Amino acid sequence: MRLSQMLFVTLRDDPADAEIPSHKLLVRAGFIRRLGSGLYAYLPLMWRVLEKVKRIVQEEMNRTGAQECLLPQLQPSELWKMSGRWDTYTESEGIMFALRDRLERELGLGPTHEEVITAIAKEMIRSYRQLPVNLYQIQTKFRDEIRPRFGLMRGREFIMKDAYSFHCDEASLKSTYEAMDQAYRNIFSRCGLDFRAVDADSGAIGGSGSQEFMVLADAGEDEILYTEDGLYSANIEKAVSLPTDAKPSRFSTYKKEPTPDTATIAKMCQCLGCDASNVVKNVLYQAVYNGGKTVLVLVSIRGDQEVNEVKLTNELTKLASHYESTNILSLTVPDEKEQQKWAAKSLPLGYISPGISDDYIAKNASVADKFLRLVDQTAVDLTNFATGADEVDYHVTGANWGNDFSLPKLVVDVRKALVGDRPVHDPNGELKTARGIEVGHIFQLGTKYSQAMGATFTNEQGEEKPLVMGCYGIGVSRLAQAAVEQSYDKDGIIWPTAIAPYEVVIVVPNVGDGEQMQVAEQIYAECQAAGVDVLLDDRNERAGVKFKDSELIGIPYRVVTGKSLKQGQLEVVKRADKSVQNLAIATVVPTLVTSIKADKKAS
Amino acid sequence: MRLSQMLFVTLRDDPADAEIPSHKLLVRAGFIRRLGSGLYAYLPLMWRVLEKVKRIVQEEMNRTGAQECLLPQLQPSELWKMSGRWDTYTESEGIMFALRDRLERELGLGPTHEEVITAIAKEMIRSYRQLPVNLYQIQTKFRDEIRPRFGLMRGREFIMKDAYSFHCDEASLKSTYEAMDQAYRNIFSRCGLDFRAVDADSGAIGGSGSQEFMVLADAGEDEILYTEDGLYSANIEKAVSLPTDAKPSRFSTYKKEPTPDTATIAKMCQCLGCDASNVVKNVLYQAVYNGGKTVLVLVSIRGDQEVNEVKLTNELTKLASHYESTNILSLTVPDEKEQQKWAAKSLPLGYISPGISDDYIAKNASVADKFLRLVDQTAVDLTNFATGADEVDYHVTGANWGNDFSLPKLVVDVRKALVGDRPVHDPNGELKTARGIEVGHIFQLGTKYSQAMGATFTNEQGEEKPLVMGCYGIGVSRLAQAAVEQSYDKDGIIWPTAIAPYEVVIVVPNVGDGEQMQVAEQIYAECQAAGVDVLLDDRNERAGVKFKDSELIGIPYRVVTGKSLKQGQLEVVKRADKSVQNLAIATVVPTLVTSIKADKKAS
């Protein structure tokens, strides 16, 4: 491509709304342009990057035997009502754009395609003989983000590769899941990314197990906990660890004590002269299920620990059927207004005990339909602990499960793992923290969707069974930006060679110089003949502008038809380290071909 | 690909909602599956067809110097309000899906991208030195169709290639327009289509000139008028012709005559004993402009001619600024209810004269803000004509413009050209009719969008001018189905080789036969090595099922490892004509390669 014929505009200044380097650079270098909140045009340079990423994704997916297809973006609401996700995705914090057609039929704009593919599988798959099968697509998805930001990282439109596999049993699912894990590692490696696979929460997608692929970068929105031995890494939403041991309790007998103005753990510990690990903290949540039920949830946890609300949501989702529901819509700590309403009704917030009576709750918190108690593992083994007395300004000390309070039946792990905690596999180790950008996520869905939507098959024994499913996503547009977030310097982007929009840029310092242009055209033609993606900067601009632009847009190799021409040589500059080689004209393209091949192999 | 590993299901019966052969065949052969009204999943076989069409489109577009990009599908309503098309596209018969985000901002789901690209050009293009430039994308578009039907032909989601070019003047636009015309001819030829380029109406897209590319097929929704000398062809919406001459009038003096119950031309002519060509027919329309103005339009036309409402809409659109508007929202002949309302107010519908007074209209048709008269060219030259008398059951005869009625100032061509009419270029010729499927449309937009949206550039003289634009669309998914509509037989689809999902299918009659499988695998490997797209039907099915399926899905060449194996030969069947060759094993793949190359070259 000749730059003089491209729509190519670079900007001197960072866009006002850009917070992170990759966003600034992609806009400044003319790769993307904002059309509206979270909406970007992919300009020709960016389109080339996306195509290269897509090609790598397709090659690795096809290698596993997956087949490409394309599913509708408009999705009838009935499908989402069958799976029970319509409300979760469109109400309250829902992130699905919903609309109505001219006949007032509700449609969603696909943020994901479990329902659609399950509906198709239900019609097409009858027998175990058709299994396993893995279908994927690369497509624009939509999310009505609460806060679109960071350019392509959190847009309202983004390009995803999503795959869905169908199996006759869990063993077959595991085998495809492992193949996808390997394919993903290949894809991210080939794209030149420094990434980490981590245990992940399955969130609104659901299923029994999932793993995220994180590109490591300070600007990442996700926090990862990991061990340096490489044996453990997890999203903090999902991470587990060994808590520190509780300090020995200084209490020995059960006693109610006045503790004025101690609604926080810190104040209470100070007042009672005890350690937070001697306390059973009781936190009240309000969970709203689809179908309309509101449940008050009392979580008892060791005083020095925090509740991980993602884990709590997962525990509560498991109980959905008890509340004639399939999904949880929202989980909130009652807000201030709500709290005042309750406090006015004399609910002793900040002083609740794990044994607070159902009647008391029912009388004082009429906002809820049900009341539920959970205890975190950390609180189970405590003895002689301090906790609330169900009376404002009073706590009890020296309490014990069994004697003073009955242990809640539901013992769960809802504790937030923290940096510095001991890893479960190595009590002498320590969890480290890093930030990451999620670029991939693979899920073992099991039968969540097939059961809800009646997608069954006949197994070898002639029995009708729900299809066992997996799903596998890659954020294609996000990946492209993550690559920049991981690879830039003060002068601009440094694209990994495998996904660079062009591999080589030929810069002609003076297009008025016939010899320069003639050699440039020759190298341009040689590059094209050798299959090198080459850009010719034949603009009638000052050499300085051209050098700056070539560094800003981050093409891996720059060939300059400059002063060294007199010696029959061309200058070849490597963008990554700015190293310069002067090469005889005839050796330039063969050298470039070798370097490009080496770059792609190394990554 | 091995068929045993594909999600491949063919159906015995035609889908209930399919009306045309291509729709039936694509569903039965497992290429597409309906998810909802006008919404289809493209299954793996179809995806391959679409990819091949896309590749051809990309190659031909890139050859012209156009650059690929990707624009958002969600489009802020403000852009459409700037161009004046928001109302036209979302209200009344509007075909754009509109929705609101969580902040209640209005968004449209892109049916086309003139506004988006103009907004981007406005920011990026400053100088004539950046021109011309041509950007294109291949993307799913959305239309809230009134009546989705015919499978992919008229879906609510469909894949389009849309290109937009920017120029400093009309001459540059024309040159790109011609390059696009040629590129389109190349694309449709390479796809193996029998097509025709026709003059077209520019419709809601606008601009000064446009041309459609029609795939000829009986099931086409468009009617084309053409001459056999190849010098004229046009969509009937746009077609012009020479009307037949009017018969000599039998009237000679102006007279008002009683004509009871003659509100139609036929009855009136019978009553008066005259020919319809002696009549000036006056048709009342109601036009609603965006901005809210309703205009009553009286069209006077020769009695044996019909009004072409597309042409009329175009004439009325030119007048939009007179009504403080930019666009026409709807054009209707007043419906029965409306007519009754008017008739009750004594508007003499069916008996109106071309001279009916403005006051009369204003008094009797309070539904309108304005009243407008137009006369079609066919009515201008009539003398001694018959027409309405502005009184129910009365007409006048022997009337003349100037004497009895003043000729409306606006003389227009709003006449519908009809099959059998004489072509303008050849008064002795005759217009023929054919049906076509529109697969491409190219437009000279001029400055319609750039002016409305303030997208200007500085020309060589330093003056600020609006960008001159063109736009160019291809219906990629529609094209794929049109290819089937043009090429099938009683047994199934006959894909043109260039866009077939696979070029060769190897059918193994008996997968239990070791020799058959071994030879099949050998041919399969040889095909892959030779770059042939090959499918291996290794399913454990009866041979008859496999032959039927291979014919239904329409792969151009079938290799059978059957009886002839004993003679060291394989049977090669050409799908198009079912001709059979028995070839020595070693010559099979080289022969296929030659045939495939010849097919692609011929088309």
Side-chain angles (χ1 to χ4, degrees):
Chain A
M1 187 76 204
R2 290 163 196 276
L3 204 42
S4 62
Q5 287 169 18
M6 266 179 78
L7 181 58
F8 176 72
V9 177
T10 56
L11 307 176
R12 198 167 305 185
D13 299 317
D14 288 331
D17 67 329
E19 301 167 63
I20 59 173
S22 55
H23 183 190
K24 293 175 188 171
L25 287 169
L26 286 175
V27 173
R28 276 186 52 211
F31 283 76
I32 59 175
R33 204 160 258 265
R34 185 180 179 279
L35 189 77
S37 173
L39 302 175
Y40 287 86
Y42 306 110
L43 298 174
L45 284 175
M46 193 66 194
W47 187 84
R48 292 182 65 91
V49 173
L50 294 173
E51 277 299 297
K52 292 198 176 181
V53 175
K54 278 164 67 175
R55 202 66 49 86
I56 291 171
V57 169
Q58 287 169 329
E59 284 172 13
E60 295 295 334
M61 289 300 293
N62 294 348
R63 198 199 297 263
T64 69
Q67 293 166 70
E68 193 159 358
C69 65
L70 192 62
L71 304 172
Q73 292 175 297
L74 284 172
Q75 306 188 359
S77 60
E78 300 88 68
L79 296 180
W80 288 72
K81 286 175 180 168
M82 281 174 78
S83 74
R85 293 205 297 179
W86 179 256
D87 292 345
T88 325
Y89 269 76
T90 61
E91 284 176 18
S92 67
E93 298 299 284
I95 47 73
M96 182 155 68
F97 286 105
L99 63 149
R100 286 172 184 274
D101 69 11
R102 60 172 67 243
L103 299 179
E104 293 295 326
R105 290 172 297 205
E106 280 179 316
L107 296 162
L109 263 181
T112 182
H113 278 75
E114 285 79 14
E115 282 79 1
V116 169
I117 196 80
T118 306
I120 289 169
K122 178 180 175 172
E123 284 187 26
M124 294 185 76
I125 300 176
R126 295 286 152 89
S127 158
Y128 72 95
R129 294 172 62 205
Q130 293 171 279
L131 300 173
V133 67
N134 191 3
L135 292 167
Y136 77 99
Q137 58 175 347
I138 298 176
Q139 187 189 53
T140 296
K141 302 268 191 264
F142 304 88
R143 284 174 67 100
D144 193 2
E145 285 287 350
I146 297 173
R147 194 179 166 200
R149 62 196 297 210
F150 302 146
L152 308 184
M153 293 287 189
R154 191 159 289 282
R156 300 201 293 173
E157 274 190 40
F158 52 97
I159 302 172
M160 282 276 293
K161 186 284 296 176
D162 46 331
Y164 305 88
S165 67
F166 297 89
H167 310 268
C168 57
D169 57 28
E170 288 284 336
S172 167
L173 166 59
K174 285 237 162 65
S175 147
T176 295
Y177 184 83
E178 276 157 26
M180 285 296 104
D181 175 54
Q182 187 56 54
Y184 275 39
R185 290 172 193 269
N186 296 348
I187 289 165
F188 301 131
S189 294
R190 287 182 61 187
C191 288
L193 299 172
D194 182 14
F195 70 97
R196 198 182 286 271
V198 306
D199 291 350
D201 177 63
S202 300
I205 302 294
S208 59
S210 83
Q211 187 173 277
E212 286 168 337
F213 294 83
M214 295 283 185
V215 166
L216 301 177
D218 292 342
E221 289 192 270
D222 284 282
E223 186 175 351
I224 302 162
L225 295 181
Y226 68 97
T227 57
E228 280 180 343
D229 61 13
L231 293 175
Y232 185 75
S233 57
N235 191 309
I236 198 164
E237 290 180 345
K238 173 77 176 181
V240 293
S241 65
L242 297 172
T244 50
D245 292 331
K247 297 263 158 66
S249 175
R250 58 172 287 269
F251 309 115
S252 52
T253 50
Y254 183 79
K255 206 158 72 178
K256 178 171 166 184
E257 299 196 37
T259 52
D261 190 22
T262 58
T264 65
I265 297 290
K267 285 182 179 170
M268 168 201 171
C269 288
Q270 202 178 6
C271 176
L272 290 171
C274 68
D275 188 76
S277 67
N278 306 138
V279 175
V280 170
K281 174 165 72 172
N282 306 289
V283 195
L284 208 50
Y285 285 92
Q286 180 180 312
V288 180
Y289 283 91
N290 69 345
K293 288 262 190 308
T294 299
V295 178
L296 271 195
V297 183
L298 186 70
V299 180
S300 299
I301 190 168
R302 211 172 78 188
D304 60 337
Q305 304 296 323
E306 297 297 327
V307 175
N308 175 329
E309 292 177 2
V310 174
K311 289 185 181 178
L312 178 57
T313 301
N314 290 339
E315 293 295 338
L316 294 174
T317 301
K318 289 184 201 162
L319 303 173
S321 63
H322 292 271
Y323 305 114
E324 294 144 36
S325 171
T326 52
N327 251 309
I328 204 160
L329 285 182
S330 70
L331 178 73
T332 44
V333 177
D335 66 15
E336 214 172 311
K337 209 169 124 199
E338 208 69 47
Q339 288 198 5
Q340 278 169 2
K341 197 159 74 187
W342 296 1
K345 287 200 167 188
S346 84
L347 244 191
L349 292 172
Y351 303 91
I352 290 177
S353 86
I356 191 166
S357 82
D358 291 14
D359 287 355
Y360 197 104
I361 289 279
K363 205 164 62 207
N364 290 287
S366 58
V367 290
D369 301 307
K370 300 277 177 181
F371 178 54
L372 176 72
R373 295 164 205 276
L374 298 175
V375 59
D376 182 72
Q377 281 160 346
T378 51
V380 172
D381 295 331
L382 287 187
T383 54
N384 290 318
F385 54 80
T387 194
D390 292 333
E391 188 179 337
V392 170
D393 291 349
Y394 283 91
H395 282 89
V396 297
T397 56
N400 286 284
W401 297 111
N403 292 341
D404 309 306
F405 301 106
S406 59
L407 189 70
K409 278 184 203 121
L410 291 164
V411 178
V412 292
D413 168 21
V414 293
R415 187 176 64 91
K416 192 182 269 178
L418 297 171
V419 59
D421 279 359
R422 295 171 298 154
V424 173
H425 74 279
D426 175 15
N428 300 317
E430 195 188 334
L431 289 180
K432 305 275 183 189
T433 182
R435 298 206 71 85
I437 300 163
E438 183 196 337
V439 291
H441 200 160
I442 59 178
F443 300 82
Q444 295 179 36
L445 294 177
T447 58
K448 173 177 169 167
Y449 296 92
S450 54
Q451 244 166 351
M453 299 178 70
T456 59
F457 71 104
T458 305
N459 72 8
E460 217 166 337
Q461 289 73 45
E463 301 156 333
E464 198 175 341
K465 294 278 180 191
L467 288 159
V468 178
M469 291 174 60
C471 78
Y472 319 93
I474 288 179
V476 171
S477 45
R478 184 187 277 185
L479 183 160
Q481 182 171 337
V484 177
E485 194 60 41
Q486 225 175 35
S487 180
Y488 65 91
D489 64 17
K490 65 177 176 35
D491 298 316
I493 300 168
I494 304 169
W495 285 107
T497 303
I499 62 171
Y502 293 92
E503 293 157 343
V504 171
V505 56
I506 304 167
V507 173
V508 185
N510 178 6
V511 293
D513 179 325
E515 192 190 355
Q516 285 191 16
M517 271 312 288
Q518 183 246 311
V519 174
E521 291 282 359
Q522 175 193 332
I523 297 290
Y524 184 59
E526 280 180 30
C527 277
Q528 289 184 315
V532 171
D533 283 334
V534 60
L535 187 63
L536 175 61
D537 191 349
D538 57 345
R539 293 175 299 164
N540 187 10
E541 292 280 2
R542 283 181 298 114
V545 170
K546 294 185 179 190
F547 291 139
K548 272 206 161 164
D549 278 346
S550 82
E551 287 177 350
L552 180 59
I553 64 174
I555 309 297
Y557 296 96
R558 179 171 79 202
V559 178
V560 186
T561 57
K563 287 176 204 150
S564 55
L565 253 189
K566 295 222 155 51
Q567 288 81 50
Q569 290 187 327
L570 297 176
E571 189 184 86
V572 176
V573 186
K574 185 170 179 169
R575 174 66 186 92
D577 57 12
K578 303 204 177 168
S579 58
V580 179
Q581 279 183 287
N582 282 298
L583 298 174
I585 293 175
T587 66
V588 168
V589 175
T591 306
L592 287 171
V593 168
T594 307
S595 301
I596 290 166
K597 204 177 276 180
D599 289 349
K600 289 186 183 172
K601 205 160 185 180
S603 64
Chain B
M1 189 76 203
R2 289 161 199 275
L3 203 42
S4 62
Q5 287 169 19
M6 269 179 76
L7 181 58
F8 176 72
V9 177
T10 55
L11 307 178
R12 198 167 304 183
D13 299 316
D14 288 332
D17 67 327
E19 301 169 64
I20 59 173
S22 57
H23 183 189
K24 291 175 189 174
L25 286 169
L26 286 174
V27 173
R28 277 187 51 209
F31 283 76
I32 59 175
R33 205 161 257 266
R34 186 179 179 277
L35 190 76
S37 172
L39 302 174
Y40 287 85
Y42 306 109
L43 297 173
L45 285 175
M46 193 66 196
W47 187 85
R48 292 183 66 90
V49 173
L50 294 172
E51 277 299 296
K52 293 199 176 181
V53 175
K54 279 165 67 174
R55 201 66 51 82
I56 291 171
V57 169
Q58 287 169 331
E59 284 172 14
E60 296 295 334
M61 289 300 294
N62 294 348
R63 197 200 298 263
T64 69
Q67 293 165 70
E68 192 159 358
C69 65
L70 192 62
L71 304 172
Q73 292 175 296
L74 284 171
Q75 306 188 1
S77 60
E78 300 89 66
L79 296 179
W80 287 73
K81 286 174 180 168
M82 283 173 79
S83 73
R85 292 205 298 179
W86 179 255
D87 292 346
T88 324
Y89 269 77
T90 61
E91 283 175 19
S92 68
E93 299 298 283
I95 48 73
M96 182 155 68
F97 286 105
L99 62 150
R100 286 171 185 275
D101 69 11
R102 61 170 67 244
L103 299 178
E104 293 295 323
R105 290 174 296 206
E106 281 179 316
L107 296 162
L109 263 181
T112 182
H113 278 74
E114 284 79 15
E115 283 78 0
V116 168
I117 196 80
T118 306
I120 288 169
K122 178 180 176 171
E123 284 187 25
M124 294 186 73
I125 301 176
R126 296 286 151 90
S127 158
Y128 72 94
R129 294 172 61 207
Q130 294 171 278
L131 298 173
V133 67
N134 190 3
L135 292 168
Y136 77 99
Q137 59 175 348
I138 299 176
Q139 187 189 53
T140 296
K141 301 268 192 267
F142 303 88
R143 284 174 67 100
D144 192 3
E145 286 286 350
I146 296 172
R147 192 178 168 200
R149 61 197 296 212
F150 301 145
L152 309 183
M153 293 286 188
R154 191 158 289 283
R156 300 201 293 174
E157 275 190 42
F158 52 97
I159 301 172
M160 282 277 293
K161 185 285 294 177
D162 46 329
Y164 305 88
S165 67
F166 297 90
H167 309 269
C168 58
D169 57 28
E170 289 284 335
S172 167
L173 166 60
K174 285 237 164 60
S175 145
T176 295
Y177 184 82
E178 276 157 27
M180 285 296 106
D181 175 53
Q182 187 56 53
Y184 275 39
R185 290 171 194 270
N186 297 347
I187 289 165
F188 302 130
S189 295
R190 287 182 61 187
C191 289
L193 299 173
D194 181 15
F195 70 96
R196 197 183 287 269
V198 306
D199 290 351
D201 176 64
S202 299
I205 301 294
S208 59
S210 83
Q211 186 173 278
E212 285 168 337
F213 294 84
M214 294 283 184
V215 166
L216 301 177
D218 293 341
E221 289 193 89
D222 284 283
E223 186 176 350
I224 302 162
L225 295 182
Y226 69 97
T227 56
E228 279 180 343
D229 61 14
L231 293 174
Y232 185 74
S233 57
N235 191 311
I236 197 162
E237 291 180 346
K238 173 78 175 179
V240 293
S241 64
L242 298 173
T244 49
D245 292 330
K247 296 263 159 66
S249 174
R250 58 171 286 268
F251 308 116
S252 52
T253 51
Y254 183 79
K255 203 156 78 178
K256 176 171 166 185
E257 300 196 35
T259 52
D261 190 23
T262 58
T264 65
I265 296 289
K267 284 181 180 171
M268 169 202 172
C269 287
Q270 202 179 4
C271 176
L272 290 171
C274 68
D275 188 77
S277 67
N278 305 138
V279 176
V280 170
K281 175 165 69 173
N282 305 290
V283 195
L284 207 52
Y285 285 91
Q286 180 180 313
V288 180
Y289 283 91
N290 68 346
K293 287 264 191 306
T294 298
V295 179
L296 270 195
V297 183
L298 187 69
V299 180
S300 299
I301 189 168
R302 208 172 79 187
D304 60 336
Q305 303 296 324
E306 298 295 326
V307 175
N308 175 331
E309 292 175 3
V310 173
K311 289 186 182 177
L312 178 58
T313 301
N314 291 337
E315 292 297 337
L316 294 173
T317 302
K318 290 184 200 159
L319 303 173
S321 63
H322 292 272
Y323 305 113
E324 293 145 35
S325 172
T326 52
N327 250 309
I328 203 159
L329 284 182
S330 70
L331 177 74
T332 44
V333 177
D335 64 16
E336 214 172 311
K337 211 170 125 198
E338 209 68 48
Q339 289 198 4
Q340 278 169 3
K341 199 158 75 189
W342 295 0
K345 287 199 167 187
S346 83
L347 245 190
L349 291 173
Y351 303 89
I352 290 176
S353 87
I356 191 165
S357 82
D358 291 13
D359 286 355
Y360 197 104
I361 288 280
K363 206 165 62 209
N364 291 285
S366 56
V367 291
D369 301 308
K370 299 276 177 183
F371 178 56
L372 176 72
R373 295 166 205 273
L374 298 176
V375 60
D376 181 72
Q377 283 161 345
T378 51
V380 171
D381 296 329
L382 287 187
T383 53
N384 290 318
F385 53 80
T387 193
D390 291 335
E391 187 179 341
V392 171
D393 292 348
Y394 284 89
H395 283 89
V396 297
T397 56
N400 285 285
W401 298 112
N403 292 341
D404 310 304
F405 302 105
S406 58
L407 189 69
K409 278 182 203 124
L410 290 165
V411 177
V412 292
D413 168 20
V414 294
R415 186 176 65 90
K416 193 182 268 177
L418 297 172
V419 58
D421 279 0
R422 294 171 299 155
V424 174
H425 74 278
D426 176 14
N428 300 316
E430 194 189 336
L431 289 181
K432 305 274 182 190
T433 181
R435 298 206 71 84
I437 299 163
E438 181 196 337
V439 291
H441 201 161
I442 59 178
F443 299 82
Q444 294 180 38
L445 293 177
T447 58
K448 171 175 171 170
Y449 296 92
S450 54
Q451 244 166 350
M453 299 179 68
T456 59
F457 72 103
T458 306
N459 71 10
E460 216 165 340
Q461 289 74 44
E463 303 156 331
E464 197 176 341
K465 294 278 179 190
L467 288 160
V468 178
M469 291 172 59
C471 78
Y472 320 93
I474 288 180
V476 171
S477 45
R478 184 187 276 186
L479 184 160
Q481 183 171 337
V484 177
E485 194 61 39
Q486 226 175 34
S487 181
Y488 65 91
D489 63 16
K490 65 177 176 36
D491 297 317
I493 300 168
I494 304 169
W495 285 108
T497 303
I499 62 172
Y502 293 93
E503 294 157 342
V504 172
V505 54
I506 304 168
V507 173
V508 185
N510 177 7
V511 293
D513 179 327
E515 193 190 354
Q516 285 191 16
M517 272 310 290
Q518 183 246 311
V519 174
E521 291 283 358
Q522 177 195 330
I523 298 291
Y524 184 58
E526 280 180 30
C527 278
Q528 288 183 317
V532 171
D533 283 334
V534 61
L535 187 62
L536 175 61
D537 190 349
D538 58 345
R539 293 176 299 165
N540 188 10
E541 293 281 0
R542 282 180 299 113
V545 169
K546 295 185 178 188
F547 292 139
K548 272 204 159 162
D549 279 346
S550 81
E551 288 178 350
L552 180 59
I553 65 176
I555 309 300
Y557 295 95
R558 178 172 79 203
V559 177
V560 186
T561 58
K563 286 177 204 148
S564 55
L565 252 189
K566 294 221 156 50
Q567 288 82 49
Q569 290 185 327
L570 297 176
E571 188 184 86
V572 177
V573 186
K574 185 169 181 173
R575 174 67 186 89
D577 57 11
K578 302 207 178 166
S579 58
V580 181
Q581 279 182 289
N582 282 298
L583 298 174
I585 294 175
T587 65
V588 168
V589 176
T591 306
L592 287 171
V593 168
T594 306
S595 301
I596 290 166
K597 204 176 276 177
D599 289 348
K600 289 185 182 171
K601 205 160 186 181
S603 66

